[in-house]
Amino acid sequence: MSRSIGAHDRLQQLEKILGVPAEHLGLAELLAETLQRLREVLEVDTATVLRYQPSGRQLVAFAAAGIEEEVHQGVRVPVGSGFAGRVALERQPVVLDLVDETTVVNSLLWERGLHSMLGVPMVAGTELVGVLHVGSVTPREFTEAEVATMQLLADRLAMAIQVEALEENRSATMALQRSLLPSSLPEVPGLAFGARYVPGAETGLGGDWYDLFVLPGDRLGIVMGDVSGHGLEAAVIMGRLRSALRAYALDCESPDEVLAKLDRKANHFEHGAMATVAYGIVGPGRENIALSLAGHLPPAFAVPGEPGRLVEVPPDPPIGLTIGSPRRRTTVVDLPPESVLAFYTDGLVERRDRPVDAGMRQLAEALRAGDPERVCAQLMATMIGNRAAQDDVALLAVQRKAVPAGD
């Protein structure tokens, strides 16, 4: 009897496999149920979803019915190797009628006596999400209709996995951001602080960060940085750069030396990553800040009774884009009593209708010396207003407090 079925019947078959959506089920449980139904409908012995990991260009067993050990043992298949790797590489269905070490990387499949397999790519848009494959211990042929049903199912599952991955990415990024950004600003004699961080409405969380830390000799390190890109990968790179910068800050006296070491580290270990960083050290007398810029926008500065201005600090190359050891410079900026420095990322000053240079000038003109929290509130009101920022915004205001008379 022919197993061929029409388009309408294929859709009915697909709905039977997918079943009634169960809102209470997580992705793993949903996949497990779906794969079990797939086994029953196609009359096969195994069904597996392998998820694609772009960083290692490999497929990792994510859900399985029939040979659950694939998941338990963390089976991994390089893209381009064996059966599943070929499906991922070619992004086309593959039917296999010989399952052994010459055709399949995963030894569990031939050790269980599989004779026939069908694999299809899981693609969402243009993005490879993984591979869905089934196997039978009895030799059999897979019809065009079954291949079509498998591909329809793979497309549905790819979308579900991608949505879940985006949510996982956002949750993990938020958790990482919260753990790396200061939960509260430190109390440092002679200085006061205010800060803001707002994720971009269009880009989501990314690699913007600010940092404050006390250094030996009653000095204070101040950092404002921006890793290119968004999402978890940018946040992870940000975390590594943040930790490395703190370590170098303990061993180096000048900001330019710290940024030179950070650049060398990024070029060696963070291939393809790029970040702009402003790093300054406030001395024990709080009278000045030694400042170096690695491609970062200059801070704005204001003293009481005068309009704000941009600090004149020569920019050096960003972190991660240099070849060799470029010359980096440190500029000393005086901090009169009650003066305020405002560090920021480009999300605060760059809009579609406002070039970054115009935004920087507007920020400087809006800055007035005063309580750092009020400074942040005023700058956010002026630069952001009632329109959501398109990109991440990080803002840090630092005020040198006046010494009371008689002290």
Side-chain angles (χ1 to χ4, degrees):
M1 183 176 67
S2 173
R3 296 178 63 90
S4 178
I5 57 178
H8 175 71
D9 292 327
R10 282 203 302 273
L11 289 175
Q12 286 188 325
Q13 192 177 60
L14 179 63
E15 294 302 327
K16 184 177 180 182
I17 295 170
L18 290 171
V20 178
E23 296 182 0
H24 67 283
L25 291 182
L27 179 62
E29 293 84 358
L30 178 64
L31 287 175
E33 260 194 32
T34 302
L35 293 180
Q36 187 57 45
R37 292 194 185 113
L38 177 62
R39 287 180 61 196
E40 297 167 0
V41 171
L42 291 192
E43 299 176 10
V44 292
D45 299 289
T46 70
T48 302
V49 167
L50 297 105
R51 195 168 176 177
Y52 176 54
Q53 288 188 342
S55 58
R57 281 192 55 78
Q58 60 184 356
L59 301 163
V60 179
F62 185 64
I67 307 181
E68 288 76 5
E69 295 94 318
E70 290 190 85
V71 178
H72 302 330
Q73 296 178 20
V75 167
R76 296 171 182 268
V77 178
V79 170
S81 297
F83 167 65
R86 177 185 164 194
V87 175
L89 180 65
E90 298 178 0
R91 298 196 181 191
Q92 295 290 335
V94 174
V95 176
L96 199 64
D97 56 12
L98 174 64
V99 181
D100 61 17
E101 64 273 14
T102 67
T103 58
V104 175
V105 171
N106 178 12
S107 62
L108 288 170
L109 301 181
W110 74 73
E111 289 172 356
R112 289 299 181 90
L114 295 185
H115 282 87
S116 304
M117 297 190 70
L118 164 62
V120 296
M122 303 173 66
V123 179
T126 60
E127 182 179 345
L128 177 66
V129 176
V131 168
L132 169 66
H133 68 63
V134 296
S136 171
V137 296
T138 57
R140 58 167 291 182
E141 294 183 0
F142 291 98
T143 67
E144 290 184 6
E146 289 170 333
V147 173
T149 298
M150 277 273 288
Q151 190 60 72
L152 284 171
L153 177 61
D155 293 342
R156 296 271 190 99
L157 295 181
M159 288 299 297
I161 291 174
Q162 189 180 55
V163 169
E164 180 79 4
L166 289 173
E167 184 56 36
E168 287 177 351
N169 187 296
R170 177 172 175 80
S171 297
T173 303
M174 290 179 66
L176 185 58
Q177 283 275 12
R178 283 195 298 267
S179 70
L180 295 175
L181 291 174
S183 56
S184 61
L185 299 175
E187 293 186 6
V188 179
L191 297 172
F193 311 102
R196 296 288 189 277
Y197 174 80
V198 180
E202 297 180 6
T203 59
L205 292 160
D208 291 23
W209 91 96
Y210 62 88
D211 200 7
L212 296 165
F213 45 83
V214 176
L215 293 168
D218 194 26
R219 299 173 302 147
L220 179 75
I222 301 176
V223 183
M224 181 64 71
D226 184 358
V227 175
S228 63
H230 297 90
L232 184 58
E233 183 178 2
V236 169
I237 293 173
M238 177 268 282
R240 292 199 287 256
L241 293 182
R242 174 185 179 273
S243 296
L245 191 152
R246 280 187 162 208
Y248 298 143
L250 288 174
D251 294 333
C252 304
E253 293 295 322
S254 63
D256 59 279
E257 187 180 358
V258 170
L259 294 183
K261 288 181 176 292
L262 187 67
D263 185 37
R264 183 168 179 264
K265 184 263 186 193
N267 276 303
H268 188 80
F269 291 109
E270 309 288 353
H271 300 293
M274 190 276 283
T276 65
V277 182
Y279 175 52
I281 301 175
V282 179
R286 316 304 187 219
E287 297 174 350
N288 55 53
I289 179 172
L291 183 62
S292 185
L293 301 181
H296 204 81
L297 302 178
F301 176 72
V303 298
E306 295 183 14
R309 59 180 175 82
L310 295 174
V311 177
E312 294 184 4
V313 181
D316 296 319
I319 300 299
L321 285 186
T322 58
I323 299 176
S325 302
R327 177 173 174 259
R328 296 191 178 275
R329 296 160 289 183
T330 292
T331 300
V332 177
V333 179
D334 291 334
L335 298 177
E338 302 294 340
S339 61
V340 171
L341 269 177
F343 296 84
Y344 53 93
T345 54
D346 57 5
L348 183 63
V349 295
E350 188 173 23
R351 306 283 291 238
R352 290 196 183 98
D353 59 350
R354 182 180 65 205
V356 64
D357 289 347
M360 291 163 60
R361 289 193 298 270
Q362 183 181 359
L363 172 73
E365 291 169 0
L367 179 63
R368 293 294 183 272
D371 174 77
E373 272 298 320
R374 287 199 295 271
V375 167
C376 287
Q378 180 59 45
L379 291 180
M380 293 295 287
T382 300
M383 306 303 295
I384 303 298
N386 59 3
R387 295 183 299 172
Q390 295 153 5
D391 199 357
D392 296 18
V393 172
L395 172 64
L396 175 64
V398 182
Q399 180 191 40
R400 180 191 172 191
K401 294 192 290 188
V403 178
D407 283 8

